[in-house]
Amino acid sequence: MQGKGFIRFLFYALLVVCLLQYLFMIPTRNVEKKAERYAISQTADITNEIERNQRVRELTSSYLDSMSTSTIFSIPGLKDYTYDELKQQNLALGLDLKGGQSVYLQVNTRDLVHQLTSSRSGVRTKDQTFITALDNAQEAMKNSQSDFVSLFSSEFRKIADGKKLARFFMPNEVMNEKINANSSDGEVERVLRSMADDVVRLTFNRLKQRIDKLGVTQPNVSLDESRDIILVELPGIDNPERARNFLQASAALEFWNVYRISDPGVLNGFRQADDLLLVESQANQEAQGDSLGNNVELQGPLLSMLQLNDASAGLGMSQVVMGTVDRNERDELMALLQREDVRALFPTNGKFLYSAKPIVNPQTGEFTRNYELYFIRTQPGTAQAPLEGDVVTNASQAPDPMSGQIQVTLSMNSQGAKKWAEMTTIAAQDQNRPIAIALDDEVVTAPNVNGAITGGVSSITGNFTVAEAQDLASILEVGKLPAKVDIIQESNVGPSLGKSNINKSFRSFVIGLLAVLAFMVFYYGGGGIVSIIALIANIFFIMGTLASFGTVLTLPGIAGLLLTIGMAVDANVIIYERIREELRAGKTTLQAIQDGFKNSYSAIIDANVTTILVAIILAYFGLGPIKGFAVVLIIGVLMSLFTAVMLGRLMIDWWTQTRGREISFWTPASKNAFSNLNIDWIGKRKIAYGISLTIITLGLISMGMRGFDLGVDFKGGYSYNVEFADGINVDRTELGQALAATFGDVPTIKAVDASNTYNIVTDYLIDDTSDDVADRVMEALHGGISTMQGSAIDLEVFKSTDDVGSTHVTSSSKVGPTIADDIKSKSAFAGVYALLAIFLYIFLRFNKWQFSLGAVAALFHDSLLVLGLFSILWGILPISLEIDQVFIAALLTVIGYSINDTVVVFDRIREYLGIYTNKSTDEVLNMAINSTFSRTVITSVTTLFVVFILLVFGGGSIKGFAFALLVGVIVGTYSSIFVATPIVRDFSKDLKMRQAAQAKKKRFSKALNAQ
């Protein structure tokens, strides 16, 4: 074996790197244990379990944050490591194993493009052609892979009717520097796309800065620039609402002068507007033929929603509060106040804003349903606030030393300090008029100004909790986002569910590993022991390599690791089966080992390259956990090649040559297994064609009639796993009816393998983009389940992902229509490109399109069979057979496994065609299949060990994946014999003649060169 020195060097280098990675885990884990012990000791007196668990996590995070820059480990003479640096070197656990939140954010380019049409006064264009193009582009985004600017430009050209894009952007100061009135639509499009790209990147960087201040351990933030999508993964986050607000807040901080209800024209403006709307309402009723009779309305639609803060109301509020409105009527009231005829009744320089939070009941201290309405005093000719958040240089939170109320303290630069002093001086002189402080167009607070505030330091109060104040301070310190971001997909996993997934995954891993190891020793004897050592080294190197790359290990990633174990022995099996053939041919052990390895390399390389090709495509097109699965598979295949082929050869040579010992590659029970096999596989191909055609036809019929059980990934919607309390017997029909009352229709309900847990999927409000939509869907779910259960469940308990002994949500996810379409499109592309890559590789390796056709036909065959069975059996088998991202990963893995098996047979066909020139094509094909049959069966058996264990012992979310692999391994083995090879034969009747001619040509060339 050449290059033994290099292989030893590579082995020792990998060993050192991986040992260092494992060494990093020890001090990291010690600090985390201290943090946990500290948090638990500080919360021993808290009796409420939910509150205690939340406080434990906050204190743990705070402790770890305090240690983030402290040196906790040193390599003498080389480097000192802080906790943060060591944590980055550790293998991170994904959300499905650790719990936490995953969010896909899409930068709202529509709003950005519309904003760029703003004039100096802040008024955006209302041109209907422009607005229609924006709306059409937004709708097209749901079913397109193009960026918004390209779609908008295309939609505008369709309906422009001679209008030029440039005219809409000319009043804007930013655009005036880049275009002029004569700029073509193409030039405007390029400028818009460039600006949109810059804004997306800036938004991404600002979000990363924010998240760094959130105190989350090992967050993952990545950007998909082609779709303006930002992926944020926050392990350990247990408060989705807080994280959602933290990520979406634009942080546009503004300081405004405000009107009082007693100012001229304000109170009368509301009453006149109400009278106007009342007359309009009565006229509409008369026009519709309704008789008013004696039922004369005394109050119009405006004041029926708004309770004015006048003397008669006795609300006891500040004079800058115009009145209060119920939260469900805010949108309707604001729509009325923004009507041009209504707006004309109020002072010209002003706009209406709501309070950020509802009013607090002074008796109970709890929030009510009512929000305050403010009338902000704007500056003539501009919509810009007198003072904005860009002057803030520092922000922090702390209790007010006098009142104890949580406040956020701001420090401003010199320009901001000067302007703030001017504003507060004028306000103090005007009878201590309050100044409103707004964040993202919501008034946080409007305190009275009793005197000029100089020095640029001031405080904001607004009934903040400690967490809210911390978040606000962090957001303001980083600065506002340059564009609005919308949540298009969200997943939340509770820590208890993550712990359960870890336990099940570890159990599956151990059982699968032991099963494979036992079989290898039973079948290959001494060679099996070598493969065990190689396999253990393989796992050691895979985990160390994943940690060094900063890979996030997810549940599909563990499935990939388990699958790698099953497939890692494939190289050993190919080599050992070839060695056994050489031994049966009468060669010595040393010669058989040398020839066995040499003659196996081609098949091993072909088999693993095709698997890596599929994994690379999966990594490119996959999202989140699926990308992690692909990375694990790629690293697993590469490490398997190193440990099985190179390290295994070193161990065998050391034992047989250096030590001079014998080694066996069979046991008495397996010595003659599959030897002298002589089956006419090719002669039975038509029977196999008939069987395959029948099953595929049934599958296609089922696909057309029943369709598939599409997961939320593909159809969009909200998905919740709800664990019901012990003693509650759930009737799915009754549950569906109760939820239909709140959702509007019956959701999809499935039993989950966890005790008394059900998965509920609904498309209720899925197209609603308002900020509080996730909370409203959760409240509807809570209301329906409370009705079904017959007793009210505390909403906070219900939303808690901790195991609290009561009915609660253990995990949830949201997939919007845009991301659902993305997933479907990328899944289709992944499948097509995988097949194309395999076709080209096989063509290059075997120099005949017939081999490529046979391989791809077998893959189509396998895919259709798996899809057909998923269509036929969903709702029948007691496991989830959803078509989702995880299923696509399984299907592509089946493709990789199937082609792996097929190329081994093809490689032997190519070899035998050059050797047995006197035999017919059918004889050579049968000999090739028979000689590789032992490898095919044994590899399938070892892989099936692992897959079956996944199916039995894995978590509910991985059982569909395991079933797809179980079916795929079986049909992949079948197709390599009965589909791929027969198709090569049927489309290449002169295969033997061509191969003989090529062999003759090579011999002639050699003879000619010899002369």
Side-chain angles (χ1 to χ4, degrees):
M1 180 181 177
Q2 302 297 317
K4 287 185 179 179
F6 174 73
I7 293 171
R8 289 194 182 97
F9 168 77
L10 187 60
F11 170 74
Y12 289 125
L14 268 174
L15 185 65
V16 170
V17 170
C18 292
L19 280 174
L20 195 59
Q21 293 301 139
Y22 289 111
L23 183 62
F24 287 151
M25 296 180 187
I26 298 172
T28 307
R29 185 57 188 147
N30 287 340
V31 171
E32 290 170 352
K33 285 182 177 178
K34 288 180 182 178
E36 291 172 7
R37 288 196 294 268
Y38 165 76
I40 291 171
S41 67
Q42 296 295 309
T43 56
D45 57 340
I46 301 177
T47 56
N48 183 286
E49 186 176 359
I50 296 176
E51 184 181 343
R52 182 173 66 249
N53 290 338
Q54 183 173 343
R55 188 61 181 149
V56 164
R57 282 189 283 271
E58 288 175 356
L59 288 173
T60 302
S61 177
S62 177
Y63 184 98
L64 294 176
D65 187 55
S66 69
M67 297 294 293
S68 60
T69 57
S70 301
T71 299
I72 62 172
F73 180 72
S74 298
I75 300 178
L78 290 178
K79 183 174 174 60
D80 295 334
Y81 287 91
T82 65
Y83 171 77
D84 270 0
E85 290 172 330
L86 281 184
K87 193 64 180 175
Q88 294 302 321
Q89 298 293 327
N90 281 208
L91 182 63
L93 297 180
L95 305 185
D96 46 9
L97 297 176
K98 188 176 182 179
Q101 186 174 33
S102 168
V103 177
Y104 286 89
L105 300 164
Q106 187 169 50
V107 178
N108 193 325
T109 319
R110 181 198 191 283
D111 188 67
L112 172 65
V113 172
H114 199 194
Q115 176 63 39
L116 288 173
T117 66
S118 300
S119 62
R120 290 181 181 275
S121 61
V123 179
R124 304 179 182 188
T125 183
K126 297 181 180 179
D127 183 90
Q128 194 55 50
T129 302
F130 193 93
I131 300 299
T132 301
L134 287 175
D135 293 340
N136 292 347
Q138 189 73 16
E139 185 64 27
M141 280 283 287
K142 298 178 181 178
N143 303 296
S144 172
Q145 299 299 304
S146 298
D147 63 281
F148 180 85
V149 172
S150 298
L151 293 171
F152 164 71
S153 301
S154 174
E155 293 295 333
F156 181 81
R157 282 193 291 270
K158 293 177 184 177
I159 59 176
D161 194 24
K163 295 179 181 178
K164 294 189 65 176
L165 266 179
R167 58 171 281 202
F168 297 103
F169 298 99
M170 292 312 298
N172 186 279
E173 294 180 9
V174 176
M175 295 295 285
N176 282 351
E177 299 175 2
K178 303 176 184 295
I179 63 173
N180 56 53
N182 297 320
S183 297
S184 67
D185 286 357
E187 290 174 323
V188 175
E189 181 182 348
R190 284 191 293 274
V191 170
L192 287 175
R193 186 179 294 109
S194 175
M195 294 183 69
D197 290 343
D198 290 342
V199 167
V200 169
R201 282 190 288 270
L202 181 56
T203 303
F204 170 68
N205 291 329
R206 287 274 173 86
L207 276 172
K208 286 188 70 174
Q209 291 175 304
R210 278 191 191 181
I211 291 164
D212 287 341
K213 292 179 174 292
L214 188 57
V216 176
T217 305
Q218 288 182 297
N220 174 37
V221 188
S222 57
L223 171 64
D224 179 355
E225 293 191 47
S226 64
R227 295 281 282 160
D228 301 339
I229 291 176
I230 301 169
L231 166 62
V232 179
E233 292 182 323
L234 304 173
I237 285 289
D238 66 320
N239 189 334
E241 185 177 354
R242 176 192 172 194
R244 202 180 297 129
N245 294 335
F246 186 85
L247 293 172
Q248 284 191 286
S250 297
L253 183 69
E254 298 168 328
F255 299 81
W256 294 100
N257 295 310
V258 288
Y259 285 100
R260 292 190 176 106
I261 192 75
S262 57
D263 285 341
V266 175
L267 187 60
N268 283 339
F270 284 108
R271 290 172 176 162
Q272 290 172 13
D274 192 60
D275 290 340
L276 172 71
L277 295 169
L278 176 60
V279 171
E280 180 182 290
S281 175
Q282 291 173 340
N284 288 337
Q285 290 183 42
E286 291 178 356
Q288 294 172 6
D290 294 339
S291 175
L292 298 176
N294 296 324
N295 226 352
V296 178
E297 296 182 58
L298 299 177
Q299 195 174 57
L302 192 146
L303 293 184
S304 65
M305 292 183 284
L306 177 69
Q307 184 176 10
L308 274 178
N309 184 27
D310 57 7
S312 61
L315 296 180
M317 293 181 174
S318 167
Q319 284 288 294
V320 294
V321 177
M322 302 294 103
T324 64
V325 59
D326 185 272
R327 67 179 182 184
N328 291 336
E329 296 178 332
R330 285 178 297 170
D331 292 344
E332 187 179 354
L333 176 64
M334 188 61 73
L336 294 177
L337 291 172
Q338 289 178 343
R339 281 178 44 166
E340 290 188 11
D341 53 350
V342 170
R343 188 66 192 80
L345 301 173
F346 292 91
T348 306
N349 299 320
K351 67 175 183 177
F352 292 101
L353 295 180
Y354 288 122
S355 59
K357 285 188 172 183
I359 302 166
V360 175
N361 186 316
Q363 279 75 38
T364 63
E366 296 179 351
F367 288 112
T368 65
R369 293 175 55 89
N370 296 324
Y371 285 73
E372 297 166 336
L373 177 69
Y374 292 85
F375 192 29
I376 302 301
R377 189 192 297 269
T378 59
Q379 303 176 93
T382 179
Q384 190 172 359
L387 187 63
E388 295 185 344
D390 55 358
V391 301
V392 174
T393 58
N394 186 49
S396 60
Q397 66 83 25
D400 185 311
M402 301 296 292
S403 66
Q405 190 175 11
I406 301 297
Q407 62 182 12
V408 176
T409 302
L410 306 177
S411 298
M412 301 179 185
N413 59 24
S414 57
Q415 180 184 357
K418 180 180 178 181
K419 183 62 179 177
W420 185 230
E422 290 176 5
M423 288 183 67
T424 52
T425 298
I426 295 172
Q429 293 172 352
D430 187 9
Q431 301 177 349
N432 305 120
R433 183 181 292 271
I435 290 179
I437 302 174
L439 183 69
D440 294 340
D441 281 337
E442 293 180 336
V443 177
V444 176
T445 184
N448 290 328
V449 179
N450 298 318
I453 302 175
T454 58
V457 177
S458 56
S459 299
I460 303 175
T461 58
N463 292 314
F464 299 128
T465 63
V466 173
E468 287 172 338
Q470 287 173 341
D471 290 349
L472 178 58
S474 298
I475 288 171
L476 295 179
E477 197 166 34
V478 170
K480 70 178 181 180
L481 297 181
K484 186 176 183 292
V485 290
D486 300 320
I487 293 177
I488 57 176
Q489 180 176 342
E490 177 185 349
S491 299
N492 302 287
V493 179
S496 59
L497 183 59
K499 185 177 180 181
S500 172
N501 286 335
I502 289 177
N503 293 336
K504 289 179 179 179
S505 300
F506 182 75
R507 183 171 57 189
S508 300
F509 180 85
V510 171
I511 296 173
L513 178 61
L514 292 176
V516 171
L517 297 184
F519 178 82
M520 292 301 288
V521 174
F522 163 77
Y523 198 85
Y524 290 112
I529 294 174
V530 172
S531 68
I532 287 175
I533 297 172
L535 191 57
I536 292 173
N538 184 31
I539 296 168
F540 177 86
F541 289 142
I542 289 174
M543 300 301 287
T545 304
L546 290 174
S548 65
F549 285 162
T551 307
V552 178
L553 188 63
T554 62
L555 200 56
I558 289 182
L561 188 61
L562 288 168
L563 186 62
T564 300
I565 292 173
M567 297 178 68
V569 299
D570 180 52
N572 289 119
V573 170
I574 292 174
I575 294 168
Y576 292 171
E577 287 301 308
R578 195 60 190 248
I579 291 174
R580 284 158 64 111
E581 287 183 41
E582 305 295 344
L583 288 171
R584 292 191 187 106
K587 295 182 180 180
T588 64
T589 301
L590 291 179
Q591 188 62 45
I593 291 171
Q594 182 177 341
D595 292 346
F597 271 92
K598 182 178 68 175
N599 294 326
S600 299
Y601 291 148
S602 176
I604 291 171
I605 291 171
D606 286 339
N608 285 279
V609 166
T610 49
T611 302
I612 290 175
L613 283 174
V614 172
I616 289 173
I617 290 168
L618 192 58
Y620 181 79
F621 287 103
L623 296 173
I626 304 308
K627 193 182 291 290
F629 165 78
V631 171
V632 170
L633 195 58
I634 291 169
I635 292 175
V637 169
L638 293 175
M639 288 300 162
S640 297
L641 281 171
F642 173 72
T643 55
V645 179
M646 299 180 183
L647 186 58
R649 179 69 185 274
L650 278 180
M651 287 189 288
I652 291 174
D653 284 354
W654 174 81
W655 184 258
T656 57
Q657 297 179 19
T658 306
R659 298 292 301 273
R661 303 286 186 89
E662 280 291 322
I663 186 171
S664 64
F665 292 93
W666 50 46
T667 63
S670 67
K671 183 175 182 178
N672 296 314
F674 303 108
S675 61
N676 302 317
L677 201 64
N678 186 23
I679 300 174
D680 181 13
W681 303 102
I682 299 300
K684 297 177 173 59
R685 69 187 187 283
K686 293 183 179 179
I687 298 173
Y689 287 165
I691 293 172
S692 295
L693 187 60
T694 301
I695 298 175
I696 289 173
T697 301
L698 291 174
L700 290 172
I701 293 171
S702 179
M703 290 181 214
M705 297 181 66
R706 298 191 75 214
F708 295 102
D709 182 14
L710 292 178
V712 71
D713 287 358
F714 280 7
K715 65 183 179 182
Y718 290 87
S719 174
Y720 301 91
N721 275 7
V722 179
E723 181 179 337
F724 287 83
D726 293 339
I728 296 178
N729 296 318
V730 178
D731 179 272
R732 272 195 275 185
T733 302
E734 182 183 346
L735 177 58
Q737 291 172 348
L739 290 171
T742 55
F743 287 149
D745 55 16
V746 179
T748 303
I749 302 172
K750 303 172 189 172
V752 180
D753 67 334
S755 176
N756 214 22
T757 301
Y758 289 84
N759 174 249
I760 299 167
V761 178
T762 177
D763 59 1
Y764 177 64
L765 298 182
I766 192 58
D767 292 319
D768 192 324
T769 57
S770 55
D771 293 339
D772 64 343
V773 62
D775 297 327
R776 286 154 54 201
V777 178
M778 178 67 80
E779 289 171 7
L781 176 71
H782 167 260
I785 288 179
S786 294
T787 302
M788 187 279 304
Q789 191 167 303
S791 60
I793 311 167
D794 182 270
L795 180 59
E796 293 306 313
V797 172
F798 181 75
K799 292 194 295 185
S800 172
T801 52
D802 284 313
D803 187 3
V804 293
S806 178
T807 299
H808 69 291
V809 175
T810 60
S811 67
S812 63
S813 64
K814 169 201 172 181
V815 180
T818 301
I819 196 71
D821 180 73
D822 260 8
I823 293 170
K824 284 187 287 188
S825 300
K826 289 189 174 183
S827 298
F829 281 130
V832 171
Y833 285 130
L835 293 174
L836 182 61
I838 289 169
F839 183 93
L840 292 174
Y841 180 79
I842 298 297
F843 180 75
L844 292 173
R845 286 291 289 154
F846 293 93
N847 296 316
K848 286 183 175 61
W849 64 266
Q850 290 89 345
F851 281 101
S852 295
L853 177 64
V856 172
L859 299 183
F860 266 113
H861 167 274
D862 300 344
S863 301
L864 287 174
L865 277 179
V866 174
L867 285 166
L869 286 174
F870 263 64
S871 176
I872 292 169
L873 297 176
W874 74 271
I876 298 174
L877 293 183
I879 59 174
S880 173
L881 296 182
E882 283 188 353
I883 304 296
D884 54 13
Q885 284 191 86
V886 175
F887 170 80
I888 298 302
L891 191 61
L892 289 179
T893 306
V894 167
I895 288 175
Y897 179 87
S898 178
I899 195 64
N900 183 314
D901 200 21
T902 299
V903 296
V904 172
V905 179
F906 283 2
D907 190 80
R908 189 62 64 92
I909 291 172
R910 180 175 55 186
E911 178 186 343
Y912 280 5
L913 283 171
I915 296 174
Y916 300 105
T917 56
N918 295 322
K919 294 183 180 294
S920 67
T921 298
D922 285 5
E923 286 179 303
V924 172
L925 296 181
N926 279 325
M927 288 175 62
I929 296 173
N930 283 318
S931 61
T932 57
F933 187 74
S934 57
R935 175 264 167 200
T936 298
V937 171
I938 294 166
T939 301
S940 298
V941 167
T942 52
T943 307
L944 285 173
F945 278 158
V946 177
V947 172
F948 183 75
I949 288 162
L950 266 180
L951 184 63
V952 174
F953 296 103
S957 59
I958 213 70
K959 287 185 183 291
F961 175 90
F963 181 75
L965 289 182
L966 183 73
V967 174
V969 168
I970 295 171
V971 300
T973 303
Y974 166 88
S975 68
S976 64
I977 296 172
F978 285 115
V979 178
T981 305
I983 283 180
V984 172
R985 186 264 184 207
D986 288 339
F987 281 83
S988 309
K989 293 187 178 179
D990 59 343
L991 183 65
K992 190 70 178 60
M993 281 196 308
R994 290 186 181 181
Q995 193 70 26
Q998 289 177 358
K1000 184 177 180 180
K1001 185 177 180 181
K1002 287 180 181 178
R1003 289 195 297 271
F1004 177 75
S1005 297
K1006 286 182 179 179
L1008 190 63
N1009 291 333
Q1011 293 176 0

